[in-house]
Amino acid sequence: MRIFWQLIYRYHVFLIFIGLEVLAFALLVRNNNYQRAVALHSANRITGELYARRTAISEYLRLQSINEELAKENADLRNQSGDAFQKLGDQIYIFEDTLYLRRYSFMPARVVNNSINRVNNYITIDKGSASGIRKEMGVISGESAVGIVKDVSEHFASIMPLINNNFALGIKLKRSGAFGRVIWTGEDPTLARVIEVPRYANPSRGDTVVTSGYSSYFPEGMNVGVIENYKIPEGEDFYEIDIRLTTAFHELSYVQVIQDFLNEEQRELELRSQQDQEE
């Protein structure tokens, strides 16, 4: 306390000066309309800027929760869209409503680890077996294919993305409907190559490459990439097509994991057919 009074005594002249300045400014603003308007305008501007900065900081700190909410909303919307259902038949019911069976369910997940500069890249998400994630589920981001679930623990899952040298995906050219396979050459994480596309496909730059729907990983029509270059190697009957991937793997933050309710039924049927052919 003694130090406090010593400071006041030492700087009492300066403090008196500041007090008189504040009093003079207050009297000036109070007794003059123009000065009062200028002071109020300046105070409002400063206050507004402070509030704007506070709001910007608050919104920045809430980005993660906002992104999580958006990812969940996107998954809920996709669960209600036509992509999640499979038509059971052509019979028309009241109000021209056709009977559909839910085939797909979409679960949002956050990317917690991601590599893009290796030959065999992997992605880790924050959902695992406790959330219903299983091996070989498809993974998408928005309308674009990302990869498939490779390994699962209780609370995490490892994703093998398109930019993994061991991954191949059945695709088709959206315009012509010709089928092929997409592989990654292990170089640029924004590019991939489509192989086994027949001569009659007639591709062109800018064509979209989408999932074929033949695999149990993805619904038909999910974006994979856009054609940049193509050629038929000498002596070959199939195109080699370079595409730019639609998934920006270096910016991946949230994904959706696909559950195919008819996957096991389809695989059992195909396995029985294969066994019958072998016999």
Side-chain angles (χ1 to χ4, degrees), residues 86-265:
Q86 176 169 300
K87 193 174 181 181
L88 285 179
D90 295 326
Q91 185 175 1
I92 305 301
Y93 292 85
I94 300 175
F95 303 115
E96 299 182 351
D97 186 16
T98 306
L99 184 61
Y100 282 83
L101 171 70
R102 174 179 288 278
R103 175 161 187 175
Y104 299 105
S105 176
F106 302 86
M107 180 185 303
R110 185 167 62 93
V111 175
V112 296
N113 195 17
N114 184 15
S115 65
I116 61 171
N117 56 359
R118 304 174 183 174
V119 174
N120 296 318
N121 293 293
Y122 278 93
I123 299 169
T124 305
I125 59 174
D126 67 345
K127 295 289 177 63
S129 59
S131 301
I133 305 296
R134 299 194 306 273
K135 290 184 178 181
E136 299 190 352
M137 284 184 169
V139 182
I140 62 174
S141 175
E143 298 293 328
S144 301
V146 172
I148 62 172
V149 177
K150 186 64 176 176
D151 293 298
V152 181
S153 65
E154 185 176 1
H155 298 107
F156 297 94
S158 179
I159 311 301
M160 180 190 291
L162 292 174
I163 54 171
N164 184 301
N165 208 36
N166 294 320
F167 187 72
L169 175 66
I171 55 86
K172 68 177 181 179
L173 307 188
K174 188 174 183 179
R175 184 173 60 85
S176 67
F179 294 98
R181 287 194 307 139
V182 63
I183 60 174
W184 189 54
T185 58
E187 299 172 359
D188 190 333
T190 66
L191 301 175
R193 177 163 296 167
V194 177
I195 59 175
E196 301 176 0
V197 176
R199 281 180 175 270
Y200 65 79
N202 191 27
S204 63
R205 290 182 178 87
D207 283 355
T208 304
V209 175
V210 298
T211 54
S212 65
Y214 282 1
S215 75
S216 59
Y217 305 138
F218 304 98
E220 180 182 358
M222 304 303 300
N223 292 327
V224 177
V226 177
I227 295 177
E228 291 205 336
N229 296 293
Y230 56 91
K231 65 179 180 180
I232 297 181
E234 186 176 353
E236 298 290 337
D237 293 324
F238 297 95
Y239 280 100
E240 284 187 359
I241 303 175
D242 294 326
I243 64 172
R244 183 164 297 278
L245 297 171
T246 52
T247 298
F249 286 95
H250 61 288
E251 298 177 350
L252 210 56
S253 297
Y254 288 87
V255 295
Q256 295 173 10
V257 183
I258 305 172
Q259 180 179 2
D260 183 353
F261 295 113
L262 302 182
N263 182 23
E264 292 184 6
E265 179 182 342

